[in-house]
Amino acid sequence: MSWIAKPRVAHPGLPRNELGLTQRDYEGRMSTLCAGCGHDSVTAALIEAFYGLNYPPHRIVKLSGIGCSGKTPTYFLNQAHGFNGVHGRMPAVATGAAGANRTLTYVGISGDGDSLSIGLGQLAHAIRRNVDLLYVIENNGVYGLTKGQFSASADVGSTAKKGAANMQPPIDPVLLGLSLGVGFVARSFSGDKEQLVPLLQAGLRHRGFALVDVISPCVTFNDHEGSTKSYRYTREHLTEVADADFVEPKREIAVSYAPGESIDVEMHDGGILRLRKLAEGFDPTDRDRAYAHISERLHRGEVLTGLLHVDKGLREMHDVAGTVDVPLVEVPHGDLCPGSAALDALQESFR
Amino acid sequence: MITTPQPPAPPSGARVNDVALKIGTVNGTGSASANGLLRRAIFRMGIPVSGKNLFPSNIQGLPTWYEIRANGGGHTARSRSFDLVVAMNPATYRRDIDEVRAGGWVLHDSSWPLGRDLLRDDVTFLGAPMAQMCADNFTGDRVRILMKNIIYVGVLAALLEIDRTVLRSLLEQTFAKKKALLDSNFLALRLGHDYAKEHFECPLPVHLAPMDENRESIIIDGNTAAALGCIYAGATLAAWYPITPSTSLVDAFSHFCGRYRKDPETGKNRYLIVQAEDELGAAGVVVGGGWAGVRSFTATSGPGLSLMGEFIGLAYYAEIPCVFFDVQRTGPSTGMPTRTQQGDIQSVIYASHGDTKHIALFPADPGECFHFAVDAFDLAERFQTPVFVVSDLDIGMNDWVIPRLEWDDSYRPDRGKVLDADELEEIGTFFRYLDVDGDGVPYRTLPGTHPRGAYFTRGSGHDRYGRYTEDEEGYTDVMDRLDRKIGSAAPAVPAPVLRASPDGRRASLGIVALGGVDRAILEAQEILTAGGLPVDYLRIRAFPFANSVGTFLEAHERTFVVEQNRDGQLRSILVTEVPFPGDRLESVRRFGGLPLSATDVVEQIQEKLGERTRLESSVPGTFA
């Protein structure tokens, strides 16, 4: 069965947020992804993030493209409008929807194939337009739904389940975003909810395009020796840049471990991820230094996580375009149609 | 030095207000303004007129032509032969001179000798040393190049009796703030005019005289009119990728938005225009906007339409209102980007993979571009589906005389079945694709309205409850309803227009067509009827077809389907969708990139009748 209803039962003792809603009110349908999929952890983090921010679910719009990641918006926010469009084109749909109604919160879920291959142009131009959108890439380096082909984020030398090695260099969405001038970019790991939830919340709060690359291992096609996006590889190569400054004080959910210390994070499959915070005094507002730092670490085989860059000064799409504050969908026709007298006057210039 | 040979004796028959004129120039030399000036002056003289720009896909240096047809009887379709050709481009002398009808005239720049091999003894060559006059009277290369154009306008004013007062007042309007340029233009106009008066027999036997046919008319191109329709319909979101010949539609929308869509208090925009990275992006933005509740549209042409295919299928299947303007150009592939065609009829109606079928409107002129734009937004929201307005380069970019546009201030947009928060509060459950009213059109909700209105929109298989499905029954149920829904739009789309044979006799011959070939067919219908071949004409204005299309086909022994594509696309759709036996439908086609002329229609119908019935035709073969 490809569609599974999830019983809505909430224990009366469940904690409630400021809207009086429980986390159950932010959930969706039962996931149909493989057991142990990193994407389900991202879904859980999103649920927690929205719950914690006290967002009314029906004022959120969730969008996706095609692939395993594209399926996930059904698994959270049952009370939000969802849109699962065409492969790699979620940014355009999000642009249109945000264009029509600038007062809603937009979250787009994409994958590495969806974002870095078929939808690379769409991603790049949504960043340039600075659409007010939290854009999450569930990045596993593999095409899961078509059973294991390499994606554009697969590292050189990583091997597919059938043994073939990838020889093409990867596209790193974080470096790509930085070079395109993205106003918010972060990286995390699906199994690290403590880090991921505040990053998602910061991304939601950011006005403009917020890119969060989440390494989310594929348990079926890419979690084996030779893959650089397996659980084991990622756990051994993650380094964290912690930055809690951006999350506004009222909502602060700090990643509270000090520089030089390590922290054990329990993951959804029971594994323990050891993160180490490396960069004391890392300044995420300096784009050029962030770029240099991240790429230097990548060359050493280390994946920096955390809030990597933020620029709060960028103006989002509507501000650049000078759109009215009231959402366009609510502007009455009377304010849009010039009427017959104006048409008559105009036509004098057509003579 | 003038080397024009002695002209032959002028033809005896003088004709007033029936002139076809062609001007051959070089792209990027400023001739477009001069040609527009001529066309506007003739319009202001009250004479029906059209201006057709045959331009290259180039910014500067390649040949370009402008065709003006002024016709007191209102026939302004393209003419295939010309009374007078203004040959300003030596690179095209040969073909330009060939296009003058026997007994016609060639005006050329005689600053340099005309090659002997170009001469024809059945036309009159009128040489005026225009470059020399510019060199003698103006300084600076730019002004000299520009003023040469105004000099030929002056010569034509004398030859054709175009009202110089009108020309001068138009120039005054154009150069109101540029006194020096205005003086140069006045001088050039006078130089041309006086030279003609002195050296040529003025006016020519074929010339113009003031009428009063344009009092209630305007002159406008289809893209401008369509953009205006979008403004009046209340469209607020446009997404596009520049492509000839649709670019000017969004440009015009942007211009009108600047004029009509500023919040008077804040100066902010009551619209959003997104120039996307490609047509895929543009289509996606439009789909997202329609889904979120605004009236959104894009404008494109064939290559862009191909790229938009996937999103069009999504909008059809997920039932999202949005409007696509397809200003057709010559395909396939890049084809001839600056030439016209009706080559997208089939690819629009069945756009995207799988079983899809779309509402499409086919305006015949800029007036219908305006009104159909408004209709398209209403239909899109009423039927929750993408709607196409399909024009072509000739309609979209050329200047047409049409009756003044009228607007009914009581118009209210048809938003279709959209549930608001109160209604959602009242009903127990909401299912997006449930056919509650039995009319094939479900209810929809907009994001952000109410928790109960939330649903998951998807292009993947879904059942009537909006749930993902891979079950045959749930999938088929929705697909069958979609077919019923689009079919049910037939009575709601613009109805076909019937023009019975002008002589009132019952005709056994019929013509069926759509779009911009209309004026050529109306003229052809008169010619055929006058020649003893009464023919009825039905112009289809939309798909799905009204029942009257089938009735018309049944009522005629033979029907000619006139269209501008190679494969007879409209004919194929009639065979499939009416349905109607193909052996009773004959194709009349011209698809090489030029607007259709009445002569094309008459000749081909005569030929087909001759082939099949050996009918002795008394209809003349060529028409000016």
Side-chain angles (χ1 to χ4, degrees):
Chain A
M1 188 171 179
S2 50
W3 181 83
I4 306 168
K6 196 176 191 176
R8 277 201 66 188
V9 185
H11 190 278
L14 275 180
R16 295 179 180 273
N17 66 9
E18 287 176 8
L19 299 176
L21 300 174
T22 70
Q23 278 211 16
R24 300 303 310 271
D25 295 312
Y26 291 81
E27 290 180 353
R29 304 202 181 285
M30 203 80 88
S31 170
T32 59
L33 298 175
C34 307
C37 178
H39 296 5
D40 284 335
S41 307
V42 182
T43 295
L46 282 162
I47 289 168
E48 205 171 312
F50 283 115
Y51 167 82
L53 287 175
N54 302 297
Y55 282 8
H58 78 281
R59 300 292 293 172
I60 300 163
V61 171
K62 48 182 186 174
L63 308 103
S64 63
I66 296 295
C68 292
S69 66
K71 289 169 166 259
T72 64
T74 29
Y75 311 143
F76 60 91
L77 292 172
N78 253 347
Q79 298 177 50
H81 268 67
F83 197 125
N84 176 212
V86 292
H87 202 2
R89 321 282 170 210
M90 172 266 284
V93 179
T95 301
N101 192 338
R102 61 185 302 180
T103 60
L104 303 179
T105 299
Y106 293 87
V107 55
I109 311 295
S110 185
D112 38 313
D114 200 55
S115 280
L116 303 179
S117 290
I118 192 168
L120 187 65
Q122 292 249 317
L123 170 62
H125 288 274
I127 290 173
R128 288 185 64 228
R129 282 195 287 272
N130 204 17
V131 183
D132 192 5
L133 166 73
L134 169 63
Y135 189 99
V136 179
I137 301 178
E138 297 179 339
N139 188 350
N140 57 14
V142 72
Y143 285 80
L145 213 48
T146 51
K147 303 193 174 172
Q149 299 77 22
F150 288 119
S151 86
S153 73
D155 298 292
V156 174
S158 66
T159 51
K161 199 163 191 174
K162 287 176 183 166
N166 173 47
M167 299 313 291
Q168 293 178 39
I171 298 172
D172 179 17
V174 167
L175 293 180
L176 176 76
L178 284 172
S179 68
L180 291 167
V182 71
F184 180 108
V185 63
R187 177 137 53 202
S188 189
F189 181 61
S190 60
D192 184 4
K193 205 194 262 186
E194 286 193 28
Q195 183 194 44
L196 181 53
V197 171
L199 284 176
L200 293 172
Q201 289 178 327
L204 287 165
R205 290 280 175 169
H206 177 75
R207 193 173 159 85
F209 196 93
L211 177 65
V212 180
D213 179 41
V214 187
I215 295 166
S216 173
C218 175
V219 294
T220 304
F221 294 105
N222 205 12
D223 193 35
H224 52 91
E225 299 291 328
S227 165
T228 57
K229 288 195 172 53
S230 65
Y231 277 110
R232 174 184 288 188
Y233 185 92
T234 316
R235 275 176 221 137
E236 288 171 355
H237 291 80
L238 273 185
T239 55
E240 183 173 23
V241 178
D243 185 271
D245 292 349
F246 181 72
V247 181
E248 52 184 62
K250 186 187 166 206
R251 294 284 132 232
E252 187 166 0
I253 304 171
V255 181
S256 59
Y257 52 103
E261 287 182 2
S262 62
I263 186 167
D264 286 350
V265 181
E266 186 174 348
M267 296 174 33
H268 68 282
D269 63 353
I272 302 295
L273 173 68
R274 178 156 294 176
L275 294 171
R276 189 176 299 130
K277 181 193 279 184
L278 285 183
E280 186 179 15
F282 178 79
D283 178 9
T285 64
D286 186 333
R287 187 165 68 111
D288 294 341
R289 282 186 56 201
Y291 191 99
H293 189 49
I294 296 160
S295 52
E296 182 203 341
R297 291 287 166 170
L298 276 177
H299 285 309
R300 283 201 240 158
E302 289 181 2
V303 183
L304 276 180
T305 64
L307 176 51
L308 300 167
H309 175 60
V310 64
D311 179 354
K312 288 191 267 186
L314 289 182
R315 296 187 304 156
E316 62 100 18
M317 175 177 71
H318 279 296
D319 292 338
V320 174
T323 323
V324 286
D325 298 334
V326 59
L328 288 174
V329 67
E330 288 174 20
V331 179
H333 184 258
D335 286 349
L336 300 173
C337 179
S340 60
L343 187 61
D344 291 344
L346 175 70
Q347 292 186 87
E348 286 309 307
S349 65
F350 299 151
R351 288 178 55 79
Chain B
M1 186 179 80
I2 303 165
T3 59
T4 311
Q6 280 300 101
S12 51
R15 269 193 287 127
V16 178
N17 289 341
D18 183 11
V19 179
L21 169 70
K22 182 165 191 162
I23 301 160
T25 56
V26 178
N27 208 27
T29 55
S31 56
S33 341
N35 298 336
L37 180 69
L38 275 170
R39 186 256 302 142
R40 287 183 76 187
I42 297 169
F43 174 82
R44 291 228 180 152
M45 289 171 71
I47 308 163
V49 61
S50 63
K52 296 194 189 296
N53 194 7
L54 307 180
F55 60 103
S57 184
N58 161 265
I59 299 300
Q60 192 184 52
L62 290 183
T64 185
W65 295 271
Y66 194 70
E67 298 178 355
I68 292 177
R69 185 169 180 206
N71 183 285
H75 294 310
T76 56
R78 178 168 190 263
S79 172
R80 253 171 40 184
S81 70
F82 299 91
D83 302 299
L84 170 58
V85 162
V86 182
M88 300 298 286
N89 183 3
T92 59
Y93 273 174
R94 174 82 276 156
R95 63 183 283 186
D96 292 350
I97 291 167
D98 280 351
E99 284 192 302
V100 186
R101 68 165 167 86
W105 295 265
V106 174
L107 172 64
H108 65 100
D109 189 345
S110 58
S111 307
W112 304 275
L114 199 63
R116 293 259 158 214
D117 58 321
L118 293 169
L119 300 180
R120 275 172 60 184
D121 54 14
D122 59 345
V123 300
T124 305
F125 285 82
L126 308 171
M130 294 184 252
Q132 190 59 54
M133 289 155 85
C134 284
D136 294 344
N137 290 279
F138 303 106
T139 50
D141 290 347
R142 187 173 167 274
V143 173
R144 283 174 176 168
I145 290 170
L146 287 173
M147 287 312 118
K148 205 160 79 164
N149 300 317
I150 303 301
I151 289 181
Y152 74 66
V153 172
V155 174
L156 290 173
L159 290 173
L160 299 175
E161 292 220 307
I162 299 168
D163 191 331
R164 276 195 299 157
T165 321
V166 174
L167 284 168
R168 274 196 295 264
S169 78
L170 285 167
L171 285 170
E172 274 167 0
Q173 275 175 26
T174 309
F175 299 107
K177 289 173 187 165
K178 294 174 182 167
K179 180 75 172 65
L181 265 179
L182 180 64
D183 290 344
S184 300
N185 277 272
F186 277 172
L187 175 58
L189 196 64
R190 185 162 55 77
L191 287 169
H193 178 267
D194 291 354
Y195 186 91
K197 282 278 187 195
E198 202 175 314
H199 294 85
F200 309 138
E201 175 207 357
C202 293
L204 297 177
V206 173
H207 60 268
L208 303 169
M211 297 179 77
D212 193 18
E213 292 295 315
N214 293 336
R215 187 182 292 264
E216 292 306 318
S217 298
I218 58 167
I219 192 150
I220 190 172
D221 63 81
N223 285 350
T224 303
L228 206 50
C230 294
I231 292 281
Y232 275 73
T236 51
L237 179 60
W240 68 304
Y241 186 80
I243 180 170
T244 304
S246 68
T247 302
S248 60
L249 198 161
V250 182
D251 281 345
F253 181 72
S254 176
H255 168 77
F256 290 133
C257 279
R259 188 160 174 175
Y260 299 118
R261 289 289 186 79
K262 294 282 181 188
D263 184 310
E265 284 176 22
T266 63
K268 288 186 175 180
N269 299 329
R270 289 168 170 159
Y271 66 93
L272 178 67
I273 299 173
V274 177
Q275 185 185 322
E277 61 273 22
D278 52 31
E279 284 91 347
L280 296 88
V285 173
V286 163
V287 166
W291 178 75
V294 294
R295 293 192 149 188
S296 63
F297 73 94
T298 187
T300 191
S301 191
L305 185 77
S306 294
L307 289 177
M308 292 177 176
E310 191 182 23
F311 261 121
I312 291 167
L314 172 68
Y316 170 80
Y317 189 37
E319 303 185 55
I320 297 164
C322 43
V323 172
F324 293 77
F325 290 90
D326 176 22
V327 188
Q328 298 168 101
R329 67 188 215 186
T330 308
S333 189
T334 305
M336 299 194 284
T338 60
R339 295 288 182 266
T340 197
Q341 201 173 59
Q342 294 181 313
D344 298 348
I345 301 171
Q346 249 169 347
S347 53
V348 160
I349 287 176
Y350 304 118
S352 202
H353 58 274
D355 290 317
T356 58
K357 219 177 259 189
H358 306 291
I359 298 173
L361 313 183
F362 300 96
D365 62 29
E368 287 191 338
C369 286
F370 174 76
H371 291 291
F372 286 7
V374 180
D375 292 342
F377 287 101
D378 283 342
L379 290 163
E381 292 200 286
R382 182 167 162 195
F383 292 98
Q384 301 177 14
T385 196
V387 172
F388 296 79
V389 182
V390 188
S391 71
D392 59 40
L393 182 142
D394 182 31
I395 303 172
M397 292 187 70
N398 284 326
D399 299 310
W400 296 58
V401 174
I402 57 162
R404 274 178 194 273
L405 301 174
E406 290 187 8
W407 182 254
D408 177 359
D409 284 319
S410 69
Y411 169 83
R412 295 291 175 271
D414 182 351
R415 307 307 308 264
K417 299 181 186 179
V418 182
L419 295 173
D420 62 23
D422 292 340
E423 289 163 327
L424 283 163
E425 193 64 50
E426 260 177 47
I427 64 170
T429 46
F430 162 68
F431 296 110
R432 172 64 179 91
Y433 299 116
L434 197 61
D435 187 5
V436 177
D437 301 331
D439 60 357
V441 184
Y443 285 83
R444 69 182 183 123
T445 57
L446 304 182
T449 309
H450 191 282
R452 203 173 279 167
Y455 69 98
F456 201 81
T457 305
R458 48 167 63 88
S460 46
H462 49 267
D463 64 15
R464 59 171 65 183
Y465 302 106
R467 300 178 304 195
Y468 180 86
T469 191
E470 293 174 8
D471 294 334
E472 182 181 19
E473 200 182 336
Y475 162 81
T476 310
D477 172 59
V478 170
M479 287 298 288
D480 284 340
R481 178 182 56 75
L482 285 174
D483 194 35
R484 284 201 309 279
K485 181 180 85 166
I486 299 300
S488 77
V493 299
V497 176
L498 173 70
R499 195 217 200 192
S501 173
D503 67 353
R505 281 192 289 166
R506 193 191 165 279
S508 63
L509 301 177
I511 292 177
V512 168
L514 53 73
V517 295
D518 185 46
R519 290 192 180 182
I521 295 175
L522 289 173
E523 187 179 351
Q525 194 186 14
E526 288 192 6
I527 296 166
L528 287 167
T529 304
L533 284 174
V535 57
D536 295 332
Y537 165 38
L538 187 77
R539 180 163 66 86
I540 291 171
R541 300 198 298 169
F543 182 87
F545 298 137
N547 289 336
S548 56
V549 175
T551 311
F552 180 89
L553 298 180
E554 286 294 346
H556 294 85
E557 279 170 37
R558 300 173 69 176
T559 297
F560 301 96
V561 184
V562 181
E563 53 191 315
Q564 293 204 280
N565 56 66
R566 185 192 66 183
D567 294 342
Q569 297 185 20
L570 174 60
R571 180 183 168 280
S572 295
I573 296 168
L574 290 167
V575 170
T576 309
E577 300 284 347
V578 170
F580 194 76
D583 57 1
R584 284 171 64 189
L585 297 179
E586 294 172 67
S587 251
V588 170
R589 302 182 296 259
R590 180 171 178 150
F591 60 93
L594 296 171
L596 196 70
S597 74
T599 317
D600 299 323
V601 180
V602 172
E603 282 179 354
Q604 286 195 44
I605 287 180
Q606 280 182 314
E607 192 182 322
K608 284 179 187 297
L609 290 173
E611 271 168 22
R612 294 215 354 197
T613 66
R614 299 167 171 275
L615 193 77
E616 273 303 309
S617 173
S618 58
V619 182
T622 55
F623 302 87

